[in-house]
Amino acid sequence: MVRRIDRDQQRFEKIIKGKVRQQLRKYINHGEMIGRKGRETVSIPVPNIEIPHFQHGEKGSGGVGQGEGEVGQPIGRGKSDGDGQGQAGNEKGQHIREVELTLEELADMLGEALELPRIEPKGDDALTSKKDRYTSVSPTGPDSLRHFKRTYKRALKRMIATNNYDPKDPLIIPTKDDERFRSWKTVSEPHTNAAVIYMMDVSGSMTDVQKEIVRTEAFWIDTWLKRQYNGIERRYIVHDAVAHEVDEDTFYRVRESGGTRISSAYRAADHIIKRDFPPSLWNIYCFQFSDGDNWGEDNTECIENLKENIFPICNLFCYGQVRSPYGSGDFIKELRKFEEEFDNLILSEIDDKEAIYGSIKTFLGTGK
Amino acid sequence: MVVTTHRPLPKELSDIQQEMEQHALDYGLDFFKTIFEVLDYEELSMFAAYGGFPVRYPHWRFGAQYDELMKGYSYGLQKIYEMVINTDPCYAYLLSANDITDQKLVIAHVYGHCDFFKNNAWFAHTNRKMLDQMANHATRMNRHIDTHGYETVEMFIDTCLSLESLIDPYAPHIKREAKAERKPETKRQEEETGEASGGRFPAKNYMDRYINPDEVLEAEASQKREKAREMSDQLKFPKERMRDVLYFLIQYAPLEDWQRDVLSIIRDEAYYFAPQGQTKIMNEGWASFWHSTIMTRHGLTDEGLINYADHHSGTMATSPNRLNPYKLGIELLKDIEERWNKGQFGPEYEDCTDMFEKERWDKDLGLGREKIFEVRRIHNDITFIDTFLTPEFCYKNRMFSFAFNDSNKTYEIQSREFEQIKQQLLNSLSNHGRPVIYVQDANYKNRGELYLEHEYMGVELKLDYAQDTLVNLHRIWKRPVNIETVVDDRPTILSYDGKKHHTNSKEKT
């Protein structure tokens, strides 16, 4: 039975989720959700939806309290939304409510908000996984899988057929032959996987603000790709003049200085792909973030590397040039020359947090 | 329709209930028949979300409330032990997880509330069949939903709820007017500027200044302006300002029938709940007074003592920036009982200036019990505080007033002077802490605009909320709406014309 309160609560949740959807852009740009990630769900702070009333503000407000203290002693900060009047505490201030959303719901909202096309994974049946499904019944098996109803039915049939059944004393005794057990079949399911390789320039010019932008974008990219594939694998590469494969945490924290050789990252990416993700089986995504300040002579090598090793096997190669306080480099101009030639090359300039939303749309809007 | 879950009390509890009921009766409490039910926390929260009523119209805010209660409980932030509703018979819900000492305490507490509901004057006009009334409201609301769709009705309920506090809490006790005024025709007057063109005779160009002399036209125009002003005074409507804004809207706003009905439902329910807001301190104080009296004299067993003390002290906890109505109420009642027992009242006592003598003043009158029963019958929180709060009491209970310091956005202790504390307390309680708002004119500027007035008593409105509320008011009135208030110490009119907000502040006077 559906209780009244369940209906009202569901309605409330729907309204709140609508609120999140409405303000998704704000959430995306400000990265408020990251770090609030549970295993499958994210909790998002939403200002409690409230019905406005004529009510008192703080100015001129006060109340009566009890306890020790001198005149002039502060007893609590004003809350911009609180119950300033202090009416014997029978009204409450505004709350921030946490809404639990699954990552799927979030991805769907994102897709809807950015009008992202669904991705058609390549290599559909190339990789399969095996799964056991309980779809059949067999005469043998462990007790824990005994199919009670089937067993009972067979026993009943047998007893009626052998004239041993007495409706006045409906006693059914199954024999060994009557017993039936649930049984499984192993089925193969197409399994499409995606590999995401994040590359980031960690030279001195990439400050925490820039990294925060990268982190926020990566979160949304992950969320969207996860929704499109059965699973995703992620690898992280940081580089200055040399590249290293690191874990996620290090990726966002490490900061180095020294010259920048982007080609080193491409070599590392190529290595990882060859090692872990045979391109015929994997949908491969590369996201590179940099302020675009490359060692001049290195550009040629970068392009060669991309054309030879990366473009041919990637679903997408996305380059996000993050503007840094030290000015923005011109690596993106080098890549622009090839935009026409390779339609899996996507470029985006990210000036500040506000630009994240648009940048995600640019990257993922191709449906590849 | 299932109104309650009708689960009889288990034997163990029904024995306690009978025992507590007998104690309550012995002390002279007088209550409607009280039906107890035991609920688990989920059920209790559900009832609480609906304000105690098992059947109410569907609305998301009940779901929101439930969600909050359940979360608060699971995080260990709050817990409801009991809930009573003001009906005849009274229904009281007990939390199944309470231990036996808690149940005793809670049952004794409940009888205090039931006595208060039945006998306090401010509850005299409440509908004691509110269970049925609420269910009827639900039926009506559902019918509107069937006809007009869920979201339409829900949105309109939101709009009405935004205005729900705009009632006159004294209206049930005082008849303010014999009958409703009739709405005058709000015919659109000619432009007030009174362009002379209307009085101009047709004339050839060269004759014009003889046939239509400027002085005459000017005189006519000014006469017309004067008349228009008079007219608009006459058209001022209502004649007297009205505090029951909702009633006014129900009568005069251009609403469809179903909308008028929804607004009436919201208003009815607001009036039903109003006395609870007016008597929070007294009601909780009274119930706490009786649970502590009954428990300490009769209810306690050795093993229950700690639990009782723990629970009771938790309920009575004070904090600097929030007044605990349970604590203030019970202490004040105890104080009154003691003073009337000892004869610490009347001119002779008041005039005594010797503090030492006042303190040991004891005429052994024994009038205390009688007095507090009288207090519970006739007072509400405001008159209760106004009549019985004394300097000695404030001192003994370490009371202070606090105020918002705009310069550092902090609440600070303002004073420990009796007069200030009392005044602040009365201010906070007036209209249970909500701004008092009147309909001043429904034909403002002679254009059928609604003009409300906020009775400014030193506390300013929360501006963004006020604007949002005006938007909702406009949805109902469908013409521009205005409210006169004070912003940044200046008299100000906030307006909303359906598209934009305007803030019109006058110079400081």
Side-chain angles (χ1 to χ4, degrees):
Chain A
M1 191 186 88
V2 180
R3 300 176 306 169
R4 270 166 226 282
I5 201 73
D6 293 334
R7 265 188 340 215
D8 287 340
Q9 196 184 11
Q10 278 157 17
R11 180 70 198 147
F12 169 64
E13 265 172 26
K14 216 171 140 190
I15 292 172
I16 280 222
K17 282 180 185 167
K19 210 70 170 179
V20 174
R21 183 166 299 153
Q22 246 174 35
Q23 303 188 346
L24 195 64
R25 184 189 192 113
K26 187 189 95 194
Y27 288 119
I28 289 174
N29 289 341
H30 292 275
E32 283 176 39
M33 299 181 189
I34 309 159
R36 301 180 163 272
K37 204 157 53 150
R39 239 217 286 251
E40 295 297 330
T41 61
V42 205
S43 28
I44 303 169
V46 191
N48 203 356
I49 43 167
E50 264 191 305
I51 294 171
H53 290 95
F54 287 122
Q55 66 192 63
H56 287 133
E58 285 175 326
K59 199 148 184 256
S61 69
V64 171
Q66 266 181 285
E68 300 308 316
E70 300 297 314
V71 168
Q73 183 174 315
I75 54 164
R77 286 206 71 74
K79 302 158 277 172
S80 58
D81 43 28
D83 145 37
Q85 189 57 7
Q87 324 98 348
N90 55 356
E91 299 221 346
K92 43 194 179 319
Q94 191 188 20
H95 301 277
I96 297 290
R97 209 178 269 269
E98 299 262 311
V99 196
E100 296 257 306
L101 288 171
T102 62
L103 287 172
E104 275 96 44
E105 279 177 302
L106 207 53
D108 289 343
M109 281 184 192
L110 178 75
E112 203 178 291
L114 292 174
E115 298 170 336
L116 297 180
R118 289 191 69 85
I119 294 172
E120 297 268 347
K122 70 172 181 181
D124 266 2
D125 310 312
L127 203 69
T128 54
S129 66
K130 296 196 184 333
K131 221 176 181 173
D132 293 335
R133 299 211 157 185
Y134 290 92
T135 48
S136 58
V137 174
S138 93
T140 55
D143 273 356
S144 58
L145 289 178
R146 182 165 46 209
H147 199 311
F148 183 79
K149 209 166 165 184
R150 295 275 184 104
T151 305
Y152 169 82
K153 269 187 177 169
R154 280 188 63 89
L156 182 62
K157 267 190 200 164
R158 178 181 49 78
M159 287 181 71
I160 292 172
T162 54
N163 225 352
N164 283 327
Y165 181 72
D166 173 11
K168 291 203 186 81
D169 180 22
L171 189 66
I172 310 285
I173 304 160
T175 65
K176 187 97 184 82
D177 286 341
D178 297 326
E179 287 187 337
R180 286 297 175 270
F181 301 85
R182 283 170 217 277
S183 162
W184 66 93
K185 253 188 188 160
T186 303
V187 291
S188 299
E189 285 191 336
H191 192 73
T192 49
N193 254 325
V196 189
I197 295 169
Y198 292 105
M199 288 168 263
M200 180 160 59
D201 180 358
V202 289
S203 59
S205 50
M206 291 291 282
T207 66
D208 289 344
V209 181
Q210 275 74 43
K211 285 192 194 129
E212 185 56 38
I213 290 175
V214 174
R215 190 186 175 81
T216 307
E217 253 197 79
F219 171 81
W220 288 104
I221 290 166
D222 279 355
T223 305
W224 177 247
L225 291 178
K226 254 186 216 150
R227 182 74 176 129
Q228 308 295 316
Y229 294 98
N230 293 335
I232 62 170
E233 288 283 327
R234 290 167 297 172
R235 298 289 185 272
Y236 298 89
I237 298 167
V238 292
H239 72 91
D240 49 12
V242 285
H244 300 279
E245 185 181 350
V246 295
D247 60 27
E248 180 177 358
D249 195 49
T250 317
F251 183 74
Y252 294 111
R253 281 175 210 282
V254 73
R255 183 163 172 181
E256 295 181 13
S257 53
T260 306
R261 278 178 192 278
I262 293 178
S263 63
S264 64
Y266 296 161
R267 272 200 304 277
D270 184 38
H271 175 72
I272 292 172
I273 293 168
K274 290 208 168 92
R275 185 189 66 201
D276 296 341
F277 309 113
S280 57
L281 302 179
W282 289 81
N283 294 275
I284 296 167
Y285 292 84
C286 294
F287 291 90
Q288 185 200 352
F289 299 94
S290 165
D291 59 2
D293 222 357
N294 197 22
W295 184 256
E297 299 158 22
D298 189 49
N299 286 352
T300 336
E301 202 184 331
C302 285
I303 303 297
E304 261 174 38
N305 212 327
L306 285 176
K307 285 212 251 183
E308 213 166 286
N309 299 319
I310 310 231
F311 289 159
I313 51 121
C314 276
N315 287 39
L316 283 180
F317 180 90
C318 299
Y319 172 69
Q321 186 155 301
V322 187
R323 186 205 289 255
S324 89
Y326 309 102
S328 175
D330 47 28
F331 187 64
I332 198 165
K333 286 185 199 142
E334 288 300 314
L335 291 177
R336 283 223 192 283
K337 298 175 190 160
F338 304 93
E339 234 180 336
E340 296 279 295
E341 195 178 335
F342 298 96
D343 63 356
N344 57 349
L345 168 66
I346 311 289
L347 305 173
S348 153
E349 283 180 88
I350 311 160
D351 288 346
D352 51 22
K353 282 187 170 183
E354 301 305 316
I356 295 174
Y357 188 80
S359 172
I360 294 171
K361 187 170 168 63
T362 313
F363 284 160
L364 302 176
T366 60
K368 287 192 177 174
Chain B
M1 185 172 298
V2 184
V3 169
T4 70
T5 45
H6 283 309
R7 239 171 275 162
L9 282 186
K11 173 86 169 70
E12 194 185 24
L13 278 180
S14 92
D15 287 350
I16 292 177
Q17 183 232 320
Q18 277 162 19
E19 184 198 333
M20 290 293 138
E21 183 174 349
Q22 196 51 53
H23 288 311
L25 289 170
D26 291 346
Y27 280 109
L29 296 186
D30 163 31
F31 34 81
F32 298 124
K33 181 171 191 285
T34 305
I35 298 169
F36 284 87
E37 282 181 44
V38 181
L39 305 177
D40 65 27
Y41 199 81
E42 228 178 271
E43 293 167 320
L44 192 61
S45 299
M46 190 165 84
F47 275 69
Y50 286 119
F53 291 87
V55 182
R56 287 188 79 175
Y57 60 84
H59 192 259
W60 58 264
R61 105 197 113 112
F62 302 129
Q65 179 70 25
Y66 174 74
D67 189 66
E68 190 172 316
L69 287 170
M70 288 307 288
K71 279 194 177 133
Y73 179 68
S74 60
Y75 298 148
L77 299 174
Q78 64 187 28
K79 188 172 164 187
I80 317 169
Y81 289 89
E82 126 283 332
M83 151 136 248
V84 204
I85 48 175
N86 163 35
T87 47
D88 179 11
C90 272
Y91 283 87
Y93 309 105
L94 307 174
L95 176 61
S96 58
N98 290 346
D99 80 6
I100 219 68
T101 309
D102 278 343
Q103 299 292 29
K104 277 190 189 175
L105 184 160
V106 163
I107 291 171
H109 191 87
V110 162
Y111 280 113
H113 280 310
C114 296
D115 168 80
F116 195 86
F117 287 146
K118 185 176 172 188
N119 294 287
N120 179 271
W122 300 91
F123 284 91
H125 298 278
T126 53
N127 182 355
R128 312 287 185 178
K129 296 283 168 225
M130 202 59 188
L131 277 171
D132 300 342
Q133 181 74 42
M134 287 281 185
N136 288 341
H137 287 171
T139 312
R140 272 152 68 188
M141 215 61 115
N142 280 319
R143 210 162 50 218
H144 299 318
I145 288 171
D146 288 345
T147 320
H148 302 279
Y150 192 90
E151 298 210 353
T152 313
V153 175
E154 179 184 64
M155 215 142 67
F156 191 72
I157 295 174
D158 288 357
T159 306
C160 296
L161 286 175
S162 175
L163 308 170
E164 72 180 332
S165 56
L166 302 181
I167 58 170
D168 178 357
Y170 299 106
H173 311 279
I174 308 166
K175 285 280 157 272
R176 295 206 192 274
E177 51 183 323
K179 56 184 188 319
E181 293 176 56
R182 274 180 52 83
K183 186 183 186 180
E185 291 302 309
T186 50
K187 62 182 175 215
R188 198 63 57 88
Q189 292 288 305
E190 282 174 50
E191 287 298 295
E192 281 178 46
T193 50
E195 255 319 300
S197 60
R200 198 177 272 269
F201 293 109
K204 295 237 161 55
N205 218 3
Y206 62 93
M207 287 296 280
D208 189 59
R209 53 187 281 242
Y210 300 104
I211 292 173
N212 297 313
D214 281 346
E215 318 83 83
V216 177
L217 286 178
E218 182 50 44
E220 274 178 7
S222 93
Q223 217 177 354
K224 217 168 186 173
R225 275 199 294 271
E226 190 56 37
K227 211 170 163 193
R229 200 173 313 125
E230 259 171 42
M231 282 293 280
S232 89
D233 279 350
Q234 280 172 16
L235 285 173
K236 183 176 148 7
F237 171 73
K239 292 275 183 286
E240 298 286 326
R241 61 180 194 170
M242 264 179 88
R243 179 144 169 201
D244 193 341
V245 182
L246 287 192
Y247 178 73
F248 184 85
L249 294 174
I250 289 168
Q251 295 291 311
Y252 303 113
L255 295 171
E256 291 174 38
D257 285 348
W258 71 269
Q259 293 177 320
R260 213 176 293 283
D261 190 46
V262 170
L263 189 52
S264 311
I265 289 173
I266 302 293
R267 179 172 169 269
D268 278 358
E269 297 190 0
Y271 271 110
Y272 172 79
F273 286 115
Q276 319 220 0
Q278 288 174 297
T279 57
K280 179 91 176 160
I281 296 174
M282 288 194 65
N283 198 348
E284 291 303 353
W286 185 251
S288 300
F289 181 92
W290 287 107
H291 86 230
S292 91
T293 304
I294 294 174
M295 285 301 278
T296 48
R297 299 198 189 167
H298 313 279
L300 279 176
T301 54
D302 290 348
E303 70 268 31
L305 179 65
I306 301 292
N307 212 320
Y308 167 77
D310 186 40
H311 182 152
H312 180 77
S313 63
T315 316
M316 297 301 145
T318 58
S319 76
N321 51 8
R322 185 179 158 275
L323 202 62
N324 182 341
Y326 294 77
K327 173 75 176 168
L328 181 62
I330 188 176
E331 291 300 338
L332 210 44
L333 284 168
K334 280 186 188 166
D335 188 58
I336 295 167
E337 186 177 36
E338 192 186 327
R339 282 167 57 204
W340 260 258
N341 275 338
K342 293 181 172 173
Q344 294 180 343
F345 59 92
E348 196 190 337
Y349 175 78
E350 304 290 334
D351 293 343
C352 174
T353 49
D354 183 346
M355 288 311 286
F356 184 63
E357 196 179 329
K358 268 183 124 169
E359 202 164 322
R360 0 162 268 174
W361 193 287
D362 191 351
K363 301 201 154 173
D364 199 18
L365 297 182
L367 294 173
R369 203 37 73 79
E370 194 185 324
K371 185 66 185 175
I372 58 172
F373 271 89
E374 176 197 305
V375 168
R376 79 93 159 75
R377 197 172 68 245
I378 59 181
H379 285 281
N380 65 25
D381 283 350
I382 292 188
T383 62
F384 181 54
I385 299 292
D386 193 28
T387 316
F388 298 108
L389 193 73
T390 62
E392 291 83 5
F393 181 86
C394 286
Y395 180 75
K396 207 165 72 188
N397 285 281
R398 303 299 295 139
M399 291 172 76
F400 58 77
S401 70
F402 61 84
F404 187 67
N405 183 338
D406 204 33
S407 63
N408 58 8
K409 307 286 177 215
T410 306
Y411 285 99
E412 293 174 352
I413 295 182
Q414 181 190 32
S415 171
R416 286 191 180 272
E417 296 294 320
F418 171 66
E419 283 305 329
Q420 284 227 42
I421 296 170
K422 182 172 164 186
Q423 198 49 53
Q424 181 62 59
L425 191 47
L426 291 176
N427 284 351
S428 338
L429 291 170
S430 80
N431 201 31
H432 30 123
R434 299 203 188 103
V436 176
I437 285 162
Y438 292 91
V439 179
Q440 188 63 262
D441 189 358
N443 189 25
Y444 181 53
K445 293 192 210 156
N446 195 22
R447 285 170 169 176
E449 294 188 12
L450 190 63
Y451 189 87
L452 304 183
E453 187 192 344
H454 165 217
E455 195 169 79
Y456 178 69
M457 289 181 286
V459 193
E460 296 190 3
L461 292 182
K462 194 162 154 44
L463 211 57
D464 47 345
Y465 281 51
Q467 290 186 333
D468 289 350
T469 311
L470 283 179
V471 172
N472 284 327
L473 191 60
H474 183 273
R475 280 197 190 121
I476 288 186
W477 190 247
K478 301 187 178 74
R479 294 276 307 146
V481 288
N482 311 271
I483 184 167
E484 182 186 320
T485 177
V486 171
V487 178
D488 287 335
D489 302 324
R490 288 180 181 184
T492 301
I493 300 173
L494 306 175
S495 310
Y496 179 70
D497 63 9
K499 291 190 188 80
K500 272 166 79 177
H501 289 282
H502 304 275
T503 307
N504 212 333
S505 69
K506 299 177 193 161
E507 281 309 305
K508 254 184 218 181
T509 42

